[in-house]
mmCIF file with all atom_site columns, all heavy atoms in Angstrom:
data_model
loop_
_atom_site.group_PDB
_atom_site.id
_atom_site.type_symbol
_atom_site.label_atom_id
_atom_site.label_alt_id
_atom_site.label_comp_id
_atom_site.label_asym_id
_atom_site.label_entity_id
_atom_site.label_seq_id
_atom_site.pdbx_PDB_ins_code
_atom_site.Cartn_x
_atom_site.Cartn_y
_atom_site.Cartn_z
_atom_site.occupancy
_atom_site.B_iso_or_equiv
_atom_site.pdbx_formal_charge
_atom_site.auth_seq_id
_atom_site.auth_comp_id
_atom_site.auth_asym_id
_atom_site.auth_atom_id
_atom_site.pdbx_PDB_model_num
ATOM 1  N N   . ILE A 1 224 ? 104.830 86.799 152.348 1.00 97.00 ? 224 ILE A N   1
ATOM 2  C CA  . ILE A 1 224 ? 105.775 87.563 151.429 1.00 97.00 ? 224 ILE A CA  1
ATOM 3  C C   . ILE A 1 224 ? 107.211 87.069 151.537 1.00 97.00 ? 224 ILE A C   1
ATOM 4  O O   . ILE A 1 224 ? 107.681 86.876 152.600 1.00 97.00 ? 224 ILE A O   1
ATOM 5  C CB  . ILE A 1 224 ? 105.738 89.070 151.692 1.00 97.00 ? 224 ILE A CB  1
ATOM 6  C CG1 . ILE A 1 224 ? 104.304 89.608 152.013 1.00 97.00 ? 224 ILE A CG1 1
ATOM 7  C CG2 . ILE A 1 224 ? 106.497 89.828 150.675 1.00 97.00 ? 224 ILE A CG2 1
ATOM 8  C CD1 . ILE A 1 224 ? 103.474 89.456 150.745 1.00 97.00 ? 224 ILE A CD1 1
ATOM 9  N N   . ASN A 1 225 ? 107.781 86.808 150.412 1.00 97.00 ? 225 ASN A N   1
ATOM 10 C CA  . ASN A 1 225 ? 109.211 86.432 150.363 1.00 97.00 ? 225 ASN A CA  1
ATOM 11 C C   . ASN A 1 225 ? 110.045 87.707 150.505 1.00 97.00 ? 225 ASN A C   1
ATOM 12 O O   . ASN A 1 225 ? 109.851 88.707 149.822 1.00 97.00 ? 225 ASN A O   1
ATOM 13 C CB  . ASN A 1 225 ? 109.537 85.856 149.001 1.00 97.00 ? 225 ASN A CB  1
ATOM 14 C CG  . ASN A 1 225 ? 110.853 85.206 148.928 1.00 97.00 ? 225 ASN A CG  1
ATOM 15 O OD1 . ASN A 1 225 ? 111.881 85.718 149.489 1.00 97.00 ? 225 ASN A OD1 1
ATOM 16 N ND2 . ASN A 1 225 ? 111.030 84.040 148.287 1.00 97.00 ? 225 ASN A ND2 1
ATOM 17 N N   . THR A 1 226 ? 110.877 87.724 151.521 1.00 96.00 ? 226 THR A N   1
ATOM 18 C CA  . THR A 1 226 ? 111.668 88.914 151.833 1.00 96.00 ? 226 THR A CA  1
ATOM 19 C C   . THR A 1 226 ? 112.578 89.325 150.728 1.00 96.00 ? 226 THR A C   1
ATOM 20 O O   . THR A 1 226 ? 113.061 90.454 150.703 1.00 96.00 ? 226 THR A O   1
ATOM 21 C CB  . THR A 1 226 ? 112.572 88.649 153.127 1.00 96.00 ? 226 THR A CB  1
ATOM 22 O OG1 . THR A 1 226 ? 113.374 87.501 152.966 1.00 96.00 ? 226 THR A OG1 1
ATOM 23 C CG2 . THR A 1 226 ? 111.703 88.480 154.321 1.00 96.00 ? 226 THR A CG2 1
ATOM 24 N N   . ALA A 1 227 ? 112.805 88.509 149.779 1.00 96.00 ? 227 ALA A N   1
ATOM 25 C CA  . ALA A 1 227 ? 113.650 88.961 148.609 1.00 96.00 ? 227 ALA A CA  1
ATOM 26 C C   . ALA A 1 227 ? 112.982 90.115 147.846 1.00 96.00 ? 227 ALA A C   1
ATOM 27 O O   . ALA A 1 227 ? 113.563 90.877 147.121 1.00 96.00 ? 227 ALA A O   1
ATOM 28 C CB  . ALA A 1 227 ? 113.866 87.746 147.648 1.00 96.00 ? 227 ALA A CB  1
ATOM 29 N N   . LEU A 1 228 ? 111.696 90.201 147.987 1.00 96.00 ? 228 LEU A N   1
ATOM 30 C CA  . LEU A 1 228 ? 110.909 91.246 147.331 1.00 96.00 ? 228 LEU A CA  1
ATOM 31 C C   . LEU A 1 228 ? 111.344 92.662 147.854 1.00 96.00 ? 228 LEU A C   1
ATOM 32 O O   . LEU A 1 228 ? 111.298 93.628 147.011 1.00 96.00 ? 228 LEU A O   1
ATOM 33 C CB  . LEU A 1 228 ? 109.424 91.133 147.596 1.00 96.00 ? 228 LEU A CB  1
ATOM 34 C CG  . LEU A 1 228 ? 108.464 92.075 147.019 1.00 96.00 ? 228 LEU A CG  1
ATOM 35 C CD1 . LEU A 1 228 ? 108.427 91.911 145.477 1.00 96.00 ? 228 LEU A CD1 1
ATOM 36 C CD2 . LEU A 1 228 ? 107.031 91.887 147.585 1.00 96.00 ? 228 LEU A CD2 1
ATOM 37 N N   . PHE A 1 229 ? 111.993 92.763 149.001 1.00 94.00 ? 229 PHE A N   1
ATOM 38 C CA  . PHE A 1 229 ? 112.330 93.982 149.552 1.00 94.00 ? 229 PHE A CA  1
ATOM 39 C C   . PHE A 1 229 ? 113.898 94.306 149.425 1.00 94.00 ? 229 PHE A C   1
ATOM 40 O O   . PHE A 1 229 ? 114.366 95.324 149.970 1.00 94.00 ? 229 PHE A O   1
ATOM 41 C CB  . PHE A 1 229 ? 111.955 94.085 151.021 1.00 94.00 ? 229 PHE A CB  1
ATOM 42 C CG  . PHE A 1 229 ? 110.571 93.706 151.373 1.00 94.00 ? 229 PHE A CG  1
ATOM 43 C CD1 . PHE A 1 229 ? 110.288 92.665 152.238 1.00 94.00 ? 229 PHE A CD1 1
ATOM 44 C CD2 . PHE A 1 229 ? 109.554 94.390 150.744 1.00 94.00 ? 229 PHE A CD2 1
ATOM 45 C CE1 . PHE A 1 229 ? 109.001 92.412 152.515 1.00 94.00 ? 229 PHE A CE1 1
ATOM 46 C CE2 . PHE A 1 229 ? 108.202 94.076 151.024 1.00 94.00 ? 229 PHE A CE2 1
ATOM 47 C CZ  . PHE A 1 229 ? 107.888 93.045 151.899 1.00 94.00 ? 229 PHE A CZ  1
ATOM 48 N N   . SER A 1 230 ? 114.555 93.503 148.689 1.00 90.00 ? 230 SER A N   1
ATOM 49 C CA  . SER A 1 230 ? 116.033 93.576 148.653 1.00 90.00 ? 230 SER A CA  1
ATOM 50 C C   . SER A 1 230 ? 116.508 94.908 147.979 1.00 90.00 ? 230 SER A C   1
ATOM 51 O O   . SER A 1 230 ? 117.522 95.425 148.304 1.00 90.00 ? 230 SER A O   1
ATOM 52 C CB  . SER A 1 230 ? 116.643 92.410 147.865 1.00 90.00 ? 230 SER A CB  1
ATOM 53 O OG  . SER A 1 230 ? 116.134 92.446 146.471 1.00 90.00 ? 230 SER A OG  1
#
Side-chain angles (χ1 to χ4, degrees):
I224 313 298
N225 190 321
T226 54
L228 183 64
F229 309 124
S230 61

